[in-house]
Amino acid sequence: MSEYQGKTYQDAVLKAQQDLNKPQAELTITVVDPGRRGLFGLGARPVKIEAVVKKVVEPATPTLSSSPEEVAPVQQEEPAEQTPQLIEEPVATEQPEGAPDGQLSPAEIAARHEQNLHRMSAAATKLVDYLEQAYRALGVDVSATVQSSGAKDVTIELNAPTPGRVIGYHGRRINAFEVLSVVFLNYQGVKDAQVTLDSEGYRAKRAQTITRIGERAVTDVIASGQAVFLDPMPARERKLLHKQLEDNLNVKTYSQGREPFRSVVIAPK
């Protein structure tokens, strides 16, 4: 039995295996001194062990059987002879008369337009019932009637004994119901619809009011040289102002903010 030492137990065992020249050996280890690390290297003492070979593990080597059987080489099957297949040329489809390649024929366009008209008509009928029920929930007795209907637009007249409660303060209620109507039609399958709700000629009167507001704002901008910020308006009224002042040589217009609080700004050029 020989004595070995190292900083750790593993170091001492490794030295024992190397010294005995038996890396695969199983050793019988006896710890003589467990050693100590010390404090900051002071008083350190190495580990001491005594080791003797207990058993040598030899690597296993493959052996051949006494009567090996000959392994026949695997024969690869030759690929079957493939017969060439004829590729049929695509049959040219006859284009409808008057329709260039990739475009719809006038007949198809007319059919789709008719389908859109039918979809809007059915959705507008449901929208009328929805508006009457919604106003009734607010305590307003309203009779809704479809005035005109297209593929993407619809105009509905709202009649009530008290039009002011239908329209709301500065048109806020009727404008809010227009937004809800667009969402309702979208749910019914009519995308990007334009809805106009009117009551007792309110829209025409409001258009005249918007025109006067624009004229006064232009006067203020020219006099002060500073921009005028108008109150939030729905998209229809903002477009009316933009179109009214687009040819004015003294001012320019643009919109700012996010819906439903988007407003028009009139500024000097």
Side-chain angles (χ1 to χ4, degrees), residues 58-80:
E58 298 293 343
T61 57
T63 58
L64 296 177
S65 61
S66 57
S67 58
E69 297 181 357
E70 295 182 359
V71 180
V74 179
Q75 295 182 355
Q76 298 181 352
E77 296 182 359
E78 295 182 358

Side-chain angles (χ1 to χ4, degrees), residues 18-81:
Q18 293 176 348
D19 184 68
L20 295 172
N21 199 21
K22 298 292 184 181
Q24 303 297 329
E26 292 184 4
L27 304 179
T28 300
I29 305 296
T30 303
V31 178
V32 178
D33 186 351
R36 56 179 296 180
R37 295 184 178 180
L39 181 61
F40 300 108
L42 299 177
R45 190 170 65 247
V47 178
K48 294 181 181 180
I49 64 171
E50 290 182 350
V52 64
V53 177
K54 178 181 179 182
K55 179 181 178 182
V56 177
V57 181
E58 298 293 343
T61 57
T63 58
L64 296 177
S65 61
S66 57
S67 58
E69 297 181 357
E70 295 182 359
V71 180
V74 179
Q75 295 182 355
Q76 298 181 352
E77 296 182 359
E78 295 182 358
E81 184 178 357

Side-chain angles (χ1 to χ4, degrees), residues 257-268:
R258 300 180 61 180
E259 298 290 358
F261 305 107
R262 195 165 176 80
S263 59
V264 174
V265 180
I266 303 176

Side-chain angles (χ1 to χ4, degrees), residues 118-246:
H118 178 73
R119 183 185 294 112
M120 173 60 86
S121 177
T125 301
K126 296 179 180 179
L127 177 59
V128 165
D129 294 337
Y130 168 76
L131 290 172
E132 290 179 349
Q133 294 176 14
Y135 268 105
R136 193 175 298 117
L138 296 176
V140 183
D141 189 13
V142 170
S143 174
T145 306
V146 177
Q147 296 294 316
S148 63
S149 176
K152 289 290 183 178
D153 58 271
V154 61
T155 300
I156 297 177
E157 179 72 20
L158 303 175
N159 298 314
T162 54
R165 299 187 63 188
V166 175
I167 297 169
Y169 180 70
H170 285 181
R172 291 177 182 175
R173 175 171 288 180
I174 197 170
N175 291 338
F177 270 104
E178 278 191 354
V179 176
L180 290 176
S181 299
V182 172
V183 176
F184 182 89
L185 291 179
N186 184 70
Y187 182 78
Q188 298 296 325
V190 182
K191 309 296 182 181
D192 303 324
Q194 299 291 330
V195 180
T196 301
L197 301 182
D198 199 2
S199 180
E200 300 293 334
Y202 167 73
R203 293 302 176 188
K205 298 175 184 177
R206 180 61 178 170
Q208 296 176 359
T209 301
I210 291 297
T211 301
R212 291 195 298 269
I213 290 175
E215 292 173 351
R216 288 198 301 266
V218 169
T219 301
D220 293 341
V221 170
I222 295 176
S224 64
Q226 297 181 352
V228 172
F229 296 78
L230 301 180
D231 292 334
M233 300 177 182
R236 180 193 304 106
E237 296 178 358
R238 296 197 306 270
K239 290 179 181 178
L240 183 62
L241 270 174
H242 292 316
K243 185 162 185 64
Q244 174 188 347
L245 302 177
E246 64 181 355

